Amino acid sequence: MRQNSVRKEGARQRAPHASDHGWDEGTQDGAPAGTQQGSKDGEGRSGKSRDKGDDPPEGSARHRRGAGGGARPPRRKRRVLRWSATILSVLILGTAGAGYLYYQHLNGNLETDVLNLGDHRAPEPTPNAAGQTPLNILLIGSDARDSKANQKLGGAKETFGSPPLADVQMLLHLSADRSNMSVVSMPRDTLLQIPKCTDPDDGKVYPQTGPKYMTNESLGRGGPGCTVATWEKLTNIHINHFMMVDFSGVVSMADAIGGVPVCVDKNIHSRDSEGHGSGLKLKKGTTDVKGEQALQWLRTRYGFEGGTDISRAKAQHMYMNALVRKLRENTGLTSPNQLRKLAEKATSALTVDDGLGSPMRLYDLGNELKKVSPSRTTMTTMPFDYVGARVVPKPEDAEQLFRLVRDDVALDGKGKKKPAKEKVSDDPAAADDEIAVQVQNGTRSAVEPPVSGRATTVAQLMAGKGFKKATPDTTTALAEEQTVVRYPSADLEGDAQRIAKSLGLPLSAAKKSTDVSGVTLVVGADWREGDTPPKRKKKDDRTPDSADALSGSDKKACMKVDPNFTW
């Protein structure tokens, strides 16, 4: 159940192409195909019901709002900032020891919401030799305006009180051994499939969408848990937590830490003759930005070279890196009063999942994150291809980046270990015709739909090999890069290895998992056809160049300014 949240009555539908407002600097750029379009009629604005027989076309605003029509009323504290640097300031409170101050008061400030609203969870990662597992935290931001303070900062008055859009999505991955940290940004304009989500407040079911919905629409389909579900569906990365912060929160917190240093290679003024731009005005070189100026930096698109959401994400990465370095050095936080102010502002701005719903848990998380030095922090953007004005995950490169995160491989290329020698299980395998194995279809990938009927086909192939107790599970279609055999306990390890060996897979393809109740063969995207899985190539663990990696220790990073926006 959501805590400390208040529904707002009379919320209006989204204004025409509002996804190009707000974090798009409060202006309207037009509405290319594939974006959300507003409508003055329909249940959301007028309260009138639509004809149930009227089936709106896919991609229209009416279609996107789902069956039942009306917009979902926004919640207080569900409005979150376009980036995630501010969120990290909370996570690293442990560097200054502020997590215990005003504990009960701070606890009351926090908002909580449900972690995942979908029907499927990505499998939990396998612990390393020391029993450690990585942490994956989704940082979400929206352009909605739910208060006078946020409206003043966000502009676009016609969108006041409208459903939120997840215009910032960054996955923070903390390695199992806590030696390194990676961040993957997804452009807000990414077109993908949003899974079915169920609103935890009113039980409304938002059906699965088609393949070309903008990812930022997920937040309005039941809450942040739907954005988490969308990420897990696309990447097959198990997400442990989410965090959100609102417009006014970033301003107050930027003030609390005394500003963050950012750099531009020319004088910049983000404003053109048509009113486009955030209003950011800086001189060439490095400037400490705070308050509204910090928000302008994080929102700027017009003025940075390229003029796209991709350029803006790069600027956000630079801001985040500088903020983390400053907090680790305790620069600007020199008194208990400053620390209390930061803790107060941070907890008031945050919405988190139930698993992070107390200052103590945030403090503990901060202690984990501060173990990573800036030199082992890597910022990346999901590799993409343009489709008109929007983007889609780049085949192979996007999946490569997702796999590195799933496999807990450091994106900075450091600390690589030699693969361990395969060990034959001490548990003897049962006879082939006595091994009960369930077959699941995991052929879906970031760029391809699942192969219909694949679980049934492979179950029949297994039966032909002598595994008479092989049965298909046709209830779900998973996403698994490579075929894997999962087992729940040590007494079934031998059976799982026997299945792997019979298919010509390495013994390492048999993995212990609490997500299954018996030996389970998941047919991966590598085995979409044929009678046997393809031979596995040696994995390339390099971060794709298209991910545009930026090291957290890079103090020389500087945004390039569009010559049309200099002065």
Side-chain angles (χ1 to χ4, degrees), residues 209-233:
T209 72
K212 293 185 177 181
Y213 272 63
M214 278 178 60
T215 182
N216 64 357
E217 294 186 30
S218 59
L219 186 59
R221 297 170 65 86
C226 192
T227 306
V228 170
T230 301
W231 269 79
E232 290 205 357
K233 178 180 176 64

mmCIF file of all heavy atoms in Angstrom, residues 209-233:
data_model
loop_
_atom_site.group_PDB
_atom_site.id
_atom_site.type_symbol
_atom_site.label_atom_id
_atom_site.label_comp_id
_atom_site.label_asym_id
_atom_site.label_seq_id
_atom_site.Cartn_x
_atom_site.Cartn_y
_atom_site.Cartn_z
ATOM 1 N N THR A 209 1.251 -3.164 -24.248
ATOM 2 C CA THR A 209 1.156 -2.301 -25.418
ATOM 3 C C THR A 209 1.748 -2.973 -26.648
ATOM 4 O O THR A 209 2.317 -4.058 -26.572
ATOM 5 C CB THR A 209 1.914 -0.987 -25.183
ATOM 6 O OG1 THR A 209 3.328 -1.254 -25.209
ATOM 7 C CG2 THR A 209 1.519 -0.344 -23.868
ATOM 8 N N GLY A 210 1.646 -2.286 -27.776
ATOM 9 C CA GLY A 210 2.348 -2.705 -28.977
ATOM 10 C C GLY A 210 3.829 -2.407 -28.833
ATOM 11 O O GLY A 210 4.282 -1.902 -27.799
ATOM 12 N N PRO A 211 4.622 -2.683 -29.872
ATOM 13 C CA PRO A 211 6.081 -2.564 -29.768
ATOM 14 C C PRO A 211 6.631 -1.154 -29.921
ATOM 15 O O PRO A 211 7.828 -0.956 -29.794
ATOM 16 C CB PRO A 211 6.576 -3.453 -30.914
ATOM 17 C CG PRO A 211 5.483 -3.363 -31.940
ATOM 18 C CD PRO A 211 4.202 -3.268 -31.166
ATOM 19 N N LYS A 212 5.764 -0.158 -30.182
ATOM 20 C CA LYS A 212 6.288 1.175 -30.455
ATOM 21 C C LYS A 212 5.667 2.229 -29.546
ATOM 22 O O LYS A 212 5.136 3.241 -29.995
ATOM 23 C CB LYS A 212 6.074 1.535 -31.928
ATOM 24 C CG LYS A 212 6.901 0.682 -32.874
ATOM 25 C CD LYS A 212 6.775 1.138 -34.313
ATOM 26 C CE LYS A 212 7.668 0.302 -35.232
ATOM 27 N NZ LYS A 212 7.571 0.738 -36.641
ATOM 28 N N TYR A 213 5.751 1.979 -28.258
ATOM 29 C CA TYR A 213 5.314 2.962 -27.272
ATOM 30 C C TYR A 213 6.543 3.611 -26.651
ATOM 31 O O TYR A 213 7.545 2.958 -26.384
ATOM 32 C CB TYR A 213 4.472 2.308 -26.179
ATOM 33 C CG TYR A 213 3.010 2.245 -26.508
ATOM 34 C CD1 TYR A 213 2.552 1.512 -27.594
ATOM 35 C CD2 TYR A 213 2.072 2.927 -25.739
ATOM 36 C CE1 TYR A 213 1.212 1.465 -27.911
ATOM 37 C CE2 TYR A 213 0.731 2.873 -26.041
ATOM 38 C CZ TYR A 213 0.303 2.144 -27.133
ATOM 39 O OH TYR A 213 -1.028 2.089 -27.443
ATOM 40 N N MET A 214 6.446 4.921 -26.403
ATOM 41 C CA MET A 214 7.571 5.599 -25.772
ATOM 42 C C MET A 214 7.711 5.137 -24.333
ATOM 43 O O MET A 214 6.747 5.073 -23.576
ATOM 44 C CB MET A 214 7.395 7.115 -25.850
ATOM 45 C CG MET A 214 7.824 7.680 -27.194
ATOM 46 S SD MET A 214 7.557 9.474 -27.334
ATOM 47 C CE MET A 214 8.574 10.061 -25.986
ATOM 48 N N THR A 215 8.943 4.845 -23.946
ATOM 49 C CA THR A 215 9.210 4.295 -22.623
ATOM 50 C C THR A 215 8.760 5.219 -21.506
ATOM 51 O O THR A 215 8.408 4.766 -20.418
ATOM 52 C CB THR A 215 10.708 3.982 -22.465
ATOM 53 O OG1 THR A 215 10.944 3.407 -21.188
ATOM 54 C CG2 THR A 215 11.562 5.231 -22.628
ATOM 55 N N ASN A 216 8.745 6.539 -21.762
ATOM 56 C CA ASN A 216 8.386 7.456 -20.672
ATOM 57 C C ASN A 216 6.907 7.369 -20.280
ATOM 58 O O ASN A 216 6.499 7.884 -19.252
ATOM 59 C CB ASN A 216 8.769 8.900 -21.007
ATOM 60 C CG ASN A 216 8.031 9.468 -22.194
ATOM 61 O OD1 ASN A 216 7.242 8.785 -22.856
ATOM 62 N ND2 ASN A 216 8.283 10.735 -22.490
ATOM 63 N N GLU A 217 6.079 6.689 -21.095
ATOM 64 C CA GLU A 217 4.663 6.550 -20.761
ATOM 65 C C GLU A 217 4.407 5.490 -19.675
ATOM 66 O O GLU A 217 3.306 5.389 -19.155
ATOM 67 C CB GLU A 217 3.859 6.204 -22.015
ATOM 68 C CG GLU A 217 3.854 7.321 -23.038
ATOM 69 C CD GLU A 217 2.938 7.017 -24.220
ATOM 70 O OE1 GLU A 217 1.938 6.311 -24.028
ATOM 71 O OE2 GLU A 217 3.249 7.483 -25.324
ATOM 72 N N SER A 218 5.423 4.708 -19.338
ATOM 73 C CA SER A 218 5.236 3.619 -18.375
ATOM 74 C C SER A 218 4.828 4.131 -17.000
ATOM 75 O O SER A 218 4.034 3.484 -16.299
ATOM 76 C CB SER A 218 6.525 2.799 -18.256
ATOM 77 O OG SER A 218 7.613 3.616 -17.845
ATOM 78 N N LEU A 219 5.315 5.292 -16.593
ATOM 79 C CA LEU A 219 5.035 5.797 -15.246
ATOM 80 C C LEU A 219 3.549 6.081 -15.043
ATOM 81 O O LEU A 219 3.023 5.926 -13.944
ATOM 82 C CB LEU A 219 5.854 7.073 -14.997
ATOM 83 C CG LEU A 219 5.804 7.658 -13.589
ATOM 84 C CD1 LEU A 219 6.287 6.658 -12.557
ATOM 85 C CD2 LEU A 219 6.634 8.931 -13.518
ATOM 86 N N GLY A 220 2.846 6.474 -16.104
ATOM 87 C CA GLY A 220 1.427 6.784 -16.006
ATOM 88 C C GLY A 220 0.535 5.562 -16.063
ATOM 89 O O GLY A 220 -0.693 5.688 -16.046
ATOM 90 N N ARG A 221 1.122 4.366 -16.116
ATOM 91 C CA ARG A 221 0.338 3.134 -16.227
ATOM 92 C C ARG A 221 0.383 2.362 -14.905
ATOM 93 O O ARG A 221 0.698 1.184 -14.853
ATOM 94 C CB ARG A 221 0.861 2.290 -17.381
ATOM 95 C CG ARG A 221 0.721 2.991 -18.731
ATOM 96 C CD ARG A 221 1.447 2.252 -19.832
ATOM 97 N NE ARG A 221 0.871 0.935 -20.091
ATOM 98 C CZ ARG A 221 -0.148 0.697 -20.911
ATOM 99 N NH1 ARG A 221 -0.727 1.711 -21.566
ATOM 100 N NH2 ARG A 221 -0.606 -0.518 -21.100
ATOM 101 N N GLY A 222 0.085 3.059 -13.831
ATOM 102 C CA GLY A 222 0.028 2.423 -12.518
ATOM 103 C C GLY A 222 1.066 2.902 -11.539
ATOM 104 O O GLY A 222 0.947 2.665 -10.351
ATOM 105 N N GLY A 223 2.113 3.583 -12.024
ATOM 106 C CA GLY A 223 3.119 4.082 -11.108
ATOM 107 C C GLY A 223 4.527 3.635 -11.468
ATOM 108 O O GLY A 223 4.762 2.994 -12.495
ATOM 109 N N PRO A 224 5.502 3.960 -10.621
ATOM 110 C CA PRO A 224 6.902 3.630 -10.909
ATOM 111 C C PRO A 224 7.149 2.141 -11.058
ATOM 112 O O PRO A 224 8.085 1.726 -11.736
ATOM 113 C CB PRO A 224 7.659 4.206 -9.703
ATOM 114 C CG PRO A 224 6.631 4.343 -8.632
ATOM 115 C CD PRO A 224 5.356 4.669 -9.334
ATOM 116 N N GLY A 225 6.299 1.316 -10.412
ATOM 117 C CA GLY A 225 6.446 -0.128 -10.551
ATOM 118 C C GLY A 225 6.252 -0.601 -11.974
ATOM 119 O O GLY A 225 6.760 -1.664 -12.354
ATOM 120 N N CYS A 226 5.535 0.153 -12.800
ATOM 121 C CA CYS A 226 5.368 -0.221 -14.208
ATOM 122 C C CYS A 226 6.630 0.138 -14.999
ATOM 123 O O CYS A 226 6.997 -0.565 -15.944
ATOM 124 C CB CYS A 226 4.148 0.466 -14.810
ATOM 125 S SG CYS A 226 3.665 -0.211 -16.427
ATOM 126 N N THR A 227 7.308 1.213 -14.607
ATOM 127 C CA THR A 227 8.580 1.539 -15.239
ATOM 128 C C THR A 227 9.615 0.465 -14.919
ATOM 129 O O THR A 227 10.390 0.044 -15.780
ATOM 130 C CB THR A 227 9.073 2.917 -14.762
ATOM 131 O OG1 THR A 227 8.046 3.891 -14.985
ATOM 132 C CG2 THR A 227 10.328 3.347 -15.515
ATOM 133 N N VAL A 228 9.614 -0.012 -13.675
ATOM 134 C CA VAL A 228 10.504 -1.112 -13.290
ATOM 135 C C VAL A 228 10.184 -2.357 -14.118
ATOM 136 O O VAL A 228 11.082 -3.022 -14.654
ATOM 137 C CB VAL A 228 10.376 -1.425 -11.792
ATOM 138 C CG1 VAL A 228 11.108 -2.720 -11.434
ATOM 139 C CG2 VAL A 228 10.916 -0.272 -10.948
ATOM 140 N N ALA A 229 8.894 -2.685 -14.238
ATOM 141 C CA ALA A 229 8.483 -3.863 -15.006
ATOM 142 C C ALA A 229 8.916 -3.745 -16.468
ATOM 143 O O ALA A 229 9.313 -4.738 -17.098
ATOM 144 C CB ALA A 229 6.968 -4.049 -14.917
ATOM 145 N N THR A 230 8.865 -2.531 -17.022
ATOM 146 C CA THR A 230 9.267 -2.311 -18.410
ATOM 147 C C THR A 230 10.759 -2.569 -18.589
ATOM 148 O O THR A 230 11.191 -3.191 -19.563
ATOM 149 C CB THR A 230 8.909 -0.875 -18.836
ATOM 150 O OG1 THR A 230 7.495 -0.676 -18.684
ATOM 151 C CG2 THR A 230 9.292 -0.616 -20.278
ATOM 152 N N TRP A 231 11.558 -2.087 -17.655
ATOM 153 C CA TRP A 231 12.999 -2.327 -17.709
ATOM 154 C C TRP A 231 13.312 -3.815 -17.606
ATOM 155 O O TRP A 231 14.161 -4.338 -18.339
ATOM 156 C CB TRP A 231 13.708 -1.568 -16.587
ATOM 157 C CG TRP A 231 14.160 -0.203 -16.992
ATOM 158 C CD1 TRP A 231 13.398 0.923 -17.081
ATOM 159 C CD2 TRP A 231 15.481 0.178 -17.378
ATOM 160 N NE1 TRP A 231 14.155 1.983 -17.487
ATOM 161 C CE2 TRP A 231 15.443 1.572 -17.671
ATOM 162 C CE3 TRP A 231 16.681 -0.496 -17.493
ATOM 163 C CZ2 TRP A 231 16.580 2.266 -18.080
ATOM 164 C CZ3 TRP A 231 17.818 0.203 -17.892
ATOM 165 C CH2 TRP A 231 17.756 1.568 -18.187
ATOM 166 N N GLU A 232 12.661 -4.499 -16.675
ATOM 167 C CA GLU A 232 12.952 -5.923 -16.494
ATOM 168 C C GLU A 232 12.558 -6.715 -17.743
ATOM 169 O O GLU A 232 13.255 -7.660 -18.128
ATOM 170 C CB GLU A 232 12.249 -6.464 -15.258
ATOM 171 C CG GLU A 232 12.840 -5.946 -13.948
ATOM 172 C CD GLU A 232 12.605 -6.876 -12.776
ATOM 173 O OE1 GLU A 232 11.927 -7.911 -12.944
ATOM 174 O OE2 GLU A 232 13.094 -6.567 -11.669
ATOM 175 N N LYS A 233 11.465 -6.334 -18.370
ATOM 176 C CA LYS A 233 11.030 -7.023 -19.588
ATOM 177 C C LYS A 233 12.030 -6.823 -20.717
ATOM 178 O O LYS A 233 12.368 -7.758 -21.454
ATOM 179 C CB LYS A 233 9.655 -6.510 -20.017
ATOM 180 C CG LYS A 233 9.120 -7.133 -21.328
ATOM 181 C CD LYS A 233 7.753 -6.562 -21.670
ATOM 182 C CE LYS A 233 7.254 -7.081 -23.018
ATOM 183 N NZ LYS A 233 7.039 -8.533 -23.011
#
